[in-house]
Protein backbone atom coordinates (compact mmCIF):
# COMPACT_ATOMS: atom_id res chain seq x y z
CA UNK A 1 0.00 0.00 0.00
CA UNK A 2 1.32 3.41 -0.88
CA UNK A 3 0.75 6.69 0.87
CA UNK A 4 2.27 8.36 3.87
CA UNK A 5 0.96 7.44 7.26
CA UNK A 6 -1.16 10.09 8.89
CA UNK A 7 1.12 11.15 11.67
CA UNK A 8 4.29 11.47 9.62
CA UNK A 9 3.43 14.43 7.49
CA UNK A 10 0.13 15.98 8.38
CA UNK A 11 -1.24 18.68 10.53
CA UNK A 12 -4.84 17.65 10.25
CA UNK A 13 -7.12 17.47 13.24
CA UNK A 14 -9.35 14.47 13.72
CA UNK A 15 -12.92 15.71 13.96
CA UNK A 16 -14.31 12.32 14.95
CA UNK A 17 -17.55 11.02 13.58
CA UNK A 18 -19.28 14.17 12.48
CA UNK A 19 -20.80 16.09 9.62
CA UNK A 20 -18.20 17.42 7.22
CA UNK A 21 -18.28 21.08 6.16
CA UNK A 22 -19.73 21.25 2.65
CA UNK A 23 -20.76 24.17 0.45
CA UNK A 24 -24.11 23.06 -0.91
CA UNK A 25 -26.70 24.57 -3.23
CA UNK A 26 -30.07 25.25 -1.68
CA UNK A 27 -33.34 24.28 -3.27
CA UNK A 28 -37.00 24.78 -2.51
CA UNK A 29 -39.02 21.62 -2.97
CA UNK A 30 -42.63 22.30 -3.85
CA UNK A 31 -45.73 20.13 -3.82
CA UNK A 32 -49.44 20.63 -3.51
CA UNK A 33 -50.91 19.35 -0.28
CA UNK A 34 -54.67 19.00 -0.49
CA UNK A 35 -54.67 21.54 -3.30
CA UNK A 36 -52.43 24.15 -1.71
CA UNK A 37 -48.74 24.68 -2.53
CA UNK A 38 -46.26 23.88 0.17
CA UNK A 39 -42.51 24.40 0.08
CA UNK A 40 -39.60 23.14 2.10
CA UNK A 41 -35.96 24.17 1.94
CA UNK A 42 -33.30 21.51 1.57
CA UNK A 43 -29.58 21.34 0.90
CA UNK A 44 -29.32 17.56 0.71
CA UNK A 45 -30.04 16.65 -2.86
CA UNK A 46 -28.15 15.39 -5.88
CA UNK A 47 -28.52 14.66 -9.53
CA UNK A 48 -28.87 10.93 -10.09
CA UNK A 49 -28.82 10.65 -13.85
CA UNK A 50 -28.73 12.88 -16.91
CA UNK A 51 -30.65 10.66 -19.33
CA UNK A 52 -33.42 10.79 -18.37
CA UNK A 53 -32.61 13.72 -16.06
CA UNK A 54 -33.24 12.40 -12.58
CA UNK A 55 -32.87 14.09 -9.21
CA UNK A 56 -32.87 12.77 -5.64
CA UNK A 57 -34.01 14.79 -2.60
CA UNK A 58 -33.22 13.73 0.95
CA UNK A 59 -35.97 14.54 3.41
CA UNK A 60 -36.97 13.76 6.94
CA UNK A 61 -39.49 10.94 7.15
CA UNK A 62 -42.19 13.38 8.23
CA UNK A 63 -42.48 16.32 5.90
CA UNK A 64 -45.63 17.97 4.76
CA UNK A 65 -44.12 18.58 1.33
CA UNK A 66 -43.42 14.87 1.06
CA UNK A 67 -47.06 14.15 1.87
CA UNK A 68 -47.96 16.24 -1.17
CA UNK A 69 -45.39 14.51 -3.35
CA UNK A 70 -46.95 11.16 -2.52
CA UNK A 71 -50.46 12.59 -2.92
CA UNK A 72 -49.86 13.89 -6.47
CA UNK A 73 -46.89 11.94 -7.74
CA UNK A 74 -45.37 15.25 -8.79
CA UNK A 75 -43.17 17.91 -7.25
CA UNK A 76 -40.98 20.85 -8.14
CA UNK A 77 -37.38 21.78 -7.43
CA UNK A 78 -36.67 25.50 -7.43
CA UNK A 79 -33.21 27.06 -7.30
CA UNK A 80 -33.34 30.38 -5.44
CA UNK A 81 -30.98 33.29 -5.86
CA UNK A 82 -29.39 35.03 -2.90
CA UNK A 83 -32.04 37.78 -2.82
CA UNK A 84 -34.52 35.15 -1.61
CA UNK A 85 -32.47 34.23 1.48
CA UNK A 86 -35.14 35.45 3.93
CA UNK A 87 -38.20 33.56 2.56
CA UNK A 88 -36.07 30.52 1.73
CA UNK A 89 -34.70 30.37 5.26
CA UNK A 90 -38.23 30.92 6.58
CA UNK A 91 -39.38 27.83 4.66
CA UNK A 92 -36.51 25.90 6.20
CA UNK A 93 -37.25 26.75 9.81
CA UNK A 94 -41.08 26.66 9.73
CA UNK A 95 -42.91 23.36 9.29
CA UNK A 96 -45.73 23.05 6.79
CA UNK A 97 -47.59 21.09 9.45
CA UNK A 98 -47.75 24.24 11.57
CA UNK A 99 -47.90 27.03 9.04
CA UNK A 100 -49.47 27.61 5.62
CA UNK A 101 -46.61 28.46 3.27
CA UNK A 102 -48.73 28.64 0.12
CA UNK A 103 -48.31 32.38 -0.26
CA UNK A 104 -44.66 32.85 0.60
CA UNK A 105 -43.78 32.80 -3.11
CA UNK A 106 -45.54 33.56 -6.37
CA UNK A 107 -46.19 30.20 -7.95
CA UNK A 108 -46.99 28.84 -11.39
CA UNK A 109 -47.77 25.47 -12.91
CA UNK A 110 -46.35 23.74 -15.96
CA UNK A 111 -47.36 20.76 -18.00
CA UNK A 112 -47.66 18.40 -15.05
CA UNK A 113 -50.32 20.79 -13.67
CA UNK A 114 -49.94 19.73 -10.02
CA UNK A 115 -46.34 20.70 -9.20
CA UNK A 116 -46.26 24.30 -7.92
CA UNK A 117 -43.14 26.10 -9.08
CA UNK A 118 -41.66 29.29 -7.68
CA UNK A 119 -41.83 32.20 -10.09
CA UNK A 120 -39.39 34.16 -7.92
CA UNK A 121 -36.64 31.58 -8.55
CA UNK A 122 -34.53 31.98 -11.71
CA UNK A 123 -34.66 28.25 -12.30
CA UNK A 124 -37.54 25.90 -11.53
CA UNK A 125 -38.24 22.38 -12.65
CA UNK A 126 -41.20 20.06 -12.39
CA UNK A 127 -40.71 16.37 -11.73
CA UNK A 128 -42.62 13.13 -11.62
CA UNK A 129 -42.08 10.86 -8.63
CA UNK A 130 -40.28 7.68 -9.62
CA UNK A 131 -39.36 6.10 -6.34
CA UNK A 132 -38.78 6.72 -2.65
CA UNK A 133 -35.64 5.12 -1.26
CA UNK A 134 -35.94 4.59 2.49
CA UNK A 135 -32.88 5.08 4.66
CA UNK A 136 -32.71 4.71 8.43
CA UNK A 137 -33.63 8.23 9.40
CA UNK A 138 -34.48 9.85 6.09
CA UNK A 139 -36.10 9.13 2.75
CA UNK A 140 -34.80 9.97 -0.71
CA UNK A 141 -37.48 11.18 -3.09
CA UNK A 142 -36.36 10.29 -6.62
CA UNK A 143 -37.97 12.12 -9.51
CA UNK A 144 -37.59 12.47 -13.24
CA UNK A 145 -37.32 16.07 -14.44
CA UNK A 146 -40.15 16.71 -16.89
CA UNK A 147 -39.39 20.32 -17.74
CA UNK A 148 -36.99 23.07 -16.68
CA UNK A 149 -38.04 26.74 -16.62
CA UNK A 150 -35.43 29.47 -16.52
CA UNK A 151 -35.57 33.24 -16.42
CA UNK A 152 -34.75 34.78 -19.76
CA UNK A 153 -31.01 35.33 -19.93
CA UNK A 154 -30.14 32.86 -17.18
CA UNK A 155 -29.52 30.05 -19.67
CA UNK A 156 -28.37 30.88 -23.18
CA UNK A 157 -27.69 28.09 -25.68
CA UNK A 158 -27.73 25.68 -22.78
CA UNK A 159 -25.09 27.58 -20.84
CA UNK A 160 -26.04 29.08 -17.50
CA UNK A 161 -25.10 32.63 -16.57
CA UNK A 162 -23.89 32.48 -12.96
CA UNK A 163 -24.53 36.18 -12.42
CA UNK A 164 -28.14 35.81 -13.47
CA UNK A 165 -28.62 32.65 -11.39
CA UNK A 166 -26.74 34.02 -8.34
CA UNK A 167 -27.46 30.76 -6.50
CA UNK A 168 -27.94 30.72 -2.75
CA UNK A 169 -25.33 28.42 -1.23
CA UNK A 170 -25.27 26.90 2.24
CA UNK A 171 -22.07 26.13 4.14
CA UNK A 172 -22.94 23.27 6.47
CA UNK A 173 -21.40 23.40 9.89
CA UNK A 174 -21.03 27.14 9.54
CA UNK A 175 -24.81 27.67 9.36
CA UNK A 176 -24.12 30.36 6.81
CA UNK A 177 -25.46 31.32 3.41
CA UNK A 178 -22.95 32.30 0.77
CA UNK A 179 -22.88 33.46 -2.82
CA UNK A 180 -21.22 31.51 -5.58
CA UNK A 181 -17.85 33.09 -6.29
CA UNK A 182 -15.78 33.72 -9.37
CA UNK A 183 -15.25 31.31 -12.20
CA UNK A 184 -11.71 30.01 -11.98
CA UNK A 185 -11.28 27.35 -14.69
CA UNK A 186 -12.95 25.28 -17.38
CA UNK A 187 -14.14 21.89 -16.17
CA UNK A 188 -13.12 18.87 -18.28
CA UNK A 189 -10.36 21.04 -19.73
CA UNK A 190 -8.01 22.37 -17.08
CA UNK A 191 -7.05 18.82 -16.08
CA UNK A 192 -5.50 18.22 -19.48
CA UNK A 193 -2.55 20.29 -18.33
CA UNK A 194 -1.84 17.84 -15.50
CA UNK A 195 1.66 16.36 -15.54
CA UNK A 196 2.97 13.69 -13.24
CA UNK A 197 5.31 14.69 -10.47
CA UNK A 198 4.77 17.64 -8.24
CA UNK B 1 -55.40 25.82 -6.53
CA UNK B 2 -53.55 29.06 -5.98
CA UNK B 3 -50.74 30.54 -8.02
CA UNK B 4 -50.55 32.49 -11.23
CA UNK B 5 -50.58 30.57 -14.47
CA UNK B 6 -47.26 30.45 -16.25
CA UNK B 7 -48.08 32.63 -19.22
CA UNK B 8 -49.74 35.44 -17.34
CA UNK B 9 -46.81 36.84 -15.47
CA UNK B 10 -43.57 35.18 -16.37
CA UNK B 11 -40.73 35.63 -18.74
CA UNK B 12 -39.20 32.23 -18.20
CA UNK B 13 -38.01 30.08 -21.06
CA UNK B 14 -38.93 26.42 -21.17
CA UNK B 15 -35.71 24.43 -21.37
CA UNK B 16 -37.48 21.13 -21.95
CA UNK B 17 -36.36 17.94 -20.32
CA UNK B 18 -32.80 18.69 -19.46
CA UNK B 19 -30.21 19.01 -16.73
CA UNK B 20 -30.73 22.07 -14.58
CA UNK B 21 -27.82 24.41 -13.87
CA UNK B 22 -26.60 23.74 -10.34
CA UNK B 23 -23.61 25.00 -8.38
CA UNK B 24 -22.26 21.85 -6.78
CA UNK B 25 -19.35 21.03 -4.50
CA UNK B 26 -16.74 18.72 -5.96
CA UNK B 27 -15.34 15.73 -4.14
CA UNK B 28 -12.67 13.16 -4.77
CA UNK B 29 -13.79 9.66 -3.92
CA UNK B 30 -10.92 7.38 -2.95
CA UNK B 31 -10.63 3.63 -2.63
CA UNK B 32 -7.91 1.05 -2.82
CA UNK B 33 -8.10 -1.19 -5.84
CA UNK B 34 -5.97 -4.28 -5.43
CA UNK B 35 -3.88 -2.43 -2.88
CA UNK B 36 -3.37 0.80 -4.81
CA UNK B 37 -5.27 4.05 -4.21
CA UNK B 38 -7.60 5.21 -6.94
CA UNK B 39 -9.57 8.44 -7.05
CA UNK B 40 -12.48 9.69 -9.08
CA UNK B 41 -14.00 13.15 -9.18
CA UNK B 42 -17.71 13.55 -8.68
CA UNK B 43 -20.20 16.38 -8.17
CA UNK B 44 -23.26 14.21 -7.64
CA UNK B 45 -23.34 13.41 -3.96
CA UNK B 46 -25.37 14.37 -0.92
CA UNK B 47 -25.55 13.96 2.80
CA UNK B 48 -28.18 11.40 3.71
CA UNK B 49 -28.25 11.61 7.48
CA UNK B 50 -26.46 13.36 10.30
CA UNK B 51 -26.83 10.72 13.01
CA UNK B 52 -25.02 8.58 12.17
CA UNK B 53 -23.39 10.84 9.56
CA UNK B 54 -24.15 9.19 6.24
CA UNK B 55 -23.22 10.21 2.72
CA UNK B 56 -24.40 9.06 -0.71
CA UNK B 57 -22.26 9.17 -3.86
CA UNK B 58 -23.74 8.78 -7.33
CA UNK B 59 -21.47 6.94 -9.73
CA UNK B 60 -21.59 5.34 -13.13
CA UNK B 61 -22.18 1.61 -12.96
CA UNK B 62 -18.62 0.94 -14.13
CA UNK B 63 -16.09 2.82 -12.09
CA UNK B 64 -12.73 1.53 -10.96
CA UNK B 65 -13.08 3.40 -7.68
CA UNK B 66 -16.38 1.63 -7.10
CA UNK B 67 -14.65 -1.71 -7.67
CA UNK B 68 -12.33 -0.78 -4.81
CA UNK B 69 -15.20 0.30 -2.58
CA UNK B 70 -16.82 -3.09 -3.02
CA UNK B 71 -13.48 -4.86 -2.59
CA UNK B 72 -12.69 -3.24 0.78
CA UNK B 73 -16.03 -2.06 2.10
CA UNK B 74 -14.40 1.31 2.76
CA UNK B 75 -13.82 4.54 0.87
CA UNK B 76 -12.89 8.15 1.38
CA UNK B 77 -14.52 11.44 0.43
CA UNK B 78 -12.10 14.33 0.05
CA UNK B 79 -13.10 17.97 -0.39
CA UNK B 80 -10.55 19.80 -2.55
CA UNK B 81 -9.79 23.48 -2.51
CA UNK B 82 -9.59 25.52 -5.70
CA UNK B 83 -5.80 25.21 -5.91
CA UNK B 84 -6.30 21.52 -6.75
CA UNK B 85 -8.44 22.22 -9.83
CA UNK B 86 -5.91 20.71 -12.25
CA UNK B 87 -5.35 17.29 -10.60
CA UNK B 88 -9.03 17.09 -9.56
CA UNK B 89 -10.16 17.72 -13.12
CA UNK B 90 -7.56 15.22 -14.33
CA UNK B 91 -9.10 12.57 -12.07
CA UNK B 92 -12.50 13.42 -13.54
CA UNK B 93 -11.52 13.04 -17.18
CA UNK B 94 -9.16 10.04 -16.93
CA UNK B 95 -10.53 6.61 -16.10
CA UNK B 96 -8.86 4.47 -13.46
CA UNK B 97 -9.29 1.55 -15.83
CA UNK B 98 -6.87 3.20 -18.22
CA UNK B 99 -4.51 5.09 -15.97
CA UNK B 100 -2.92 4.56 -12.55
CA UNK B 101 -3.98 7.54 -10.41
CA UNK B 102 -2.36 6.31 -7.20
CA UNK B 103 0.29 9.02 -7.21
CA UNK B 104 -1.71 12.05 -8.27
CA UNK B 105 -2.15 13.05 -4.61
CA UNK B 106 -0.30 12.49 -1.38
CA UNK B 107 -2.40 10.00 0.54
CA UNK B 108 -2.80 8.85 4.13
CA UNK B 109 -4.83 6.28 5.99
CA UNK B 110 -6.93 6.57 9.11
CA UNK B 111 -8.50 4.12 11.49
CA UNK B 112 -10.25 2.11 8.78
CA UNK B 113 -6.78 1.44 7.30
CA UNK B 114 -7.99 0.72 3.76
CA UNK B 115 -9.57 4.02 2.69
CA UNK B 116 -6.89 6.24 1.08
CA UNK B 117 -7.44 9.88 1.93
CA UNK B 118 -5.99 12.90 0.17
CA UNK B 119 -3.53 14.82 2.30
CA UNK B 120 -3.67 17.74 -0.15
CA UNK B 121 -7.38 18.30 0.58
CA UNK B 122 -8.27 20.48 3.59
CA UNK B 123 -11.05 18.07 4.53
CA UNK B 124 -11.06 14.31 4.11
CA UNK B 125 -13.28 11.64 5.60
CA UNK B 126 -13.19 7.88 5.68
CA UNK B 127 -16.37 5.87 5.36
CA UNK B 128 -17.66 2.35 5.65
CA UNK B 129 -19.87 1.05 2.87
CA UNK B 130 -23.42 0.52 4.06
CA UNK B 131 -25.37 -0.09 0.91
CA UNK B 132 -25.43 0.41 -2.84
CA UNK B 133 -28.73 1.68 -4.21
CA UNK B 134 -29.11 0.76 -7.88
CA UNK B 135 -30.78 3.23 -10.23
CA UNK B 136 -31.34 2.76 -13.94
CA UNK B 137 -28.08 4.18 -15.21
CA UNK B 138 -26.15 4.87 -12.03
CA UNK B 139 -25.53 3.49 -8.56
CA UNK B 140 -25.55 5.33 -5.27
CA UNK B 141 -22.81 4.26 -2.88
CA UNK B 142 -24.04 4.91 0.67
CA UNK B 143 -21.49 5.11 3.44
CA UNK B 144 -21.28 5.96 7.10
CA UNK B 145 -18.65 8.54 7.94
CA UNK B 146 -16.25 7.01 10.43
CA UNK B 147 -13.90 9.94 10.91
CA UNK B 148 -13.36 13.43 9.47
CA UNK B 149 -9.88 14.93 9.12
CA UNK B 150 -9.44 18.66 8.65
CA UNK B 151 -6.45 20.91 8.20
CA UNK B 152 -5.65 22.84 11.34
CA UNK B 153 -7.57 26.08 11.28
CA UNK B 154 -10.16 24.93 8.75
CA UNK B 155 -12.60 23.87 11.46
CA UNK B 156 -12.54 25.62 14.83
CA UNK B 157 -14.99 24.61 17.55
CA UNK B 158 -16.97 22.79 14.89
CA UNK B 159 -17.27 25.84 12.66
CA UNK B 160 -15.66 25.73 9.24
CA UNK B 161 -13.56 28.59 7.93
CA UNK B 162 -14.60 29.10 4.30
CA UNK B 163 -11.38 30.90 3.44
CA UNK B 164 -9.32 27.98 4.70
CA UNK B 165 -11.54 25.42 2.95
CA UNK B 166 -11.81 27.44 -0.30
CA UNK B 167 -13.95 24.66 -1.79
CA UNK B 168 -13.83 23.90 -5.51
CA UNK B 169 -17.35 24.32 -6.91
CA UNK B 170 -18.71 23.08 -10.22
CA UNK B 171 -21.42 24.87 -12.17
CA UNK B 172 -23.17 22.18 -14.18
CA UNK B 173 -24.20 23.13 -17.68
CA UNK B 174 -21.53 25.80 -17.67
CA UNK B 175 -18.72 23.25 -17.39
CA UNK B 176 -16.98 25.72 -15.13
CA UNK B 177 -15.23 25.61 -11.81
CA UNK B 178 -15.96 28.42 -9.37
CA UNK B 179 -14.95 29.54 -5.93
CA UNK B 180 -17.38 29.84 -3.06
CA UNK B 181 -18.28 33.50 -2.66
CA UNK B 182 -18.98 35.79 0.25
CA UNK B 183 -21.04 34.95 3.29
CA UNK B 184 -24.32 36.83 3.02
CA UNK B 185 -26.49 35.73 5.95
CA UNK B 186 -26.91 33.39 8.90
CA UNK B 187 -28.81 30.22 8.06
CA UNK B 188 -31.70 29.30 10.41
CA UNK B 189 -31.71 32.93 11.52
CA UNK B 190 -32.31 35.32 8.66
CA UNK B 191 -35.69 33.72 7.96
CA UNK B 192 -36.98 34.86 11.33
CA UNK B 193 -37.33 38.35 9.87
CA UNK B 194 -39.79 37.08 7.25
CA UNK B 195 -43.17 38.83 7.29
CA UNK B 196 -46.16 37.95 5.17
CA UNK B 197 -46.99 40.12 2.20
CA UNK B 198 -44.49 41.19 -0.37
Amino acid sequence: MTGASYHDKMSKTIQEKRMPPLALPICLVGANVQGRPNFCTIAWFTMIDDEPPTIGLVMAKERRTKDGIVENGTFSVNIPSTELAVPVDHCGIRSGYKEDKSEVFRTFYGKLRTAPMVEDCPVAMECTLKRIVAFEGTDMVVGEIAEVYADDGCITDGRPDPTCLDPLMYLSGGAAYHRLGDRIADAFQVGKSYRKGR
Side-chain angles (χ1 to χ4, degrees), chain A residues 52-101:
Chain A
T54 308
I55 197 164
L57 314 170
V58 178
M59 293 183 158
K61 298 273 182 190
E62 299 288 321
R63 276 277 204 177
R64 189 159 169 84
T65 304
K66 206 178 68 180
D67 297 345
I69 293 171
V70 172
E71 179 190 335
N72 298 287
T74 63
F75 61 94
S76 71
V77 181
N78 308 273
I79 313 299
S81 54
T82 61
E83 66 178 17
L84 294 178
V86 169
V88 166
D89 195 56
H90 170 76
C91 285
I93 57 186
R94 299 293 296 178
S95 167
Y97 289 120
K98 296 183 181 165
E99 184 162 326
D100 181 320
K101 292 187 267 186

Side-chain angles (χ1 to χ4, degrees), chain A residues 10-32:
Chain A
M10 303 198 45
S11 58
K12 280 188 165 58
T13 304
I14 297 176
Q15 300 284 328
E16 299 181 346
K17 190 170 178 165
R18 52 168 286 138
M19 291 279 295
L22 294 171
L24 303 170
I26 287 283
C27 76
L28 286 161
V29 183
N32 277 348

Side-chain angles (χ1 to χ4, degrees), chain A residues 94-113:
Chain A
R94 299 293 296 178
S95 167
Y97 289 120
K98 296 183 181 165
E99 184 162 326
D100 181 320
K101 292 187 267 186
S102 64
E103 296 185 355
V104 174
F105 303 103
R106 293 177 296 172
T107 55
F108 70 101
Y109 293 88
K111 67 179 185 182
L112 298 182
R113 299 192 174 276

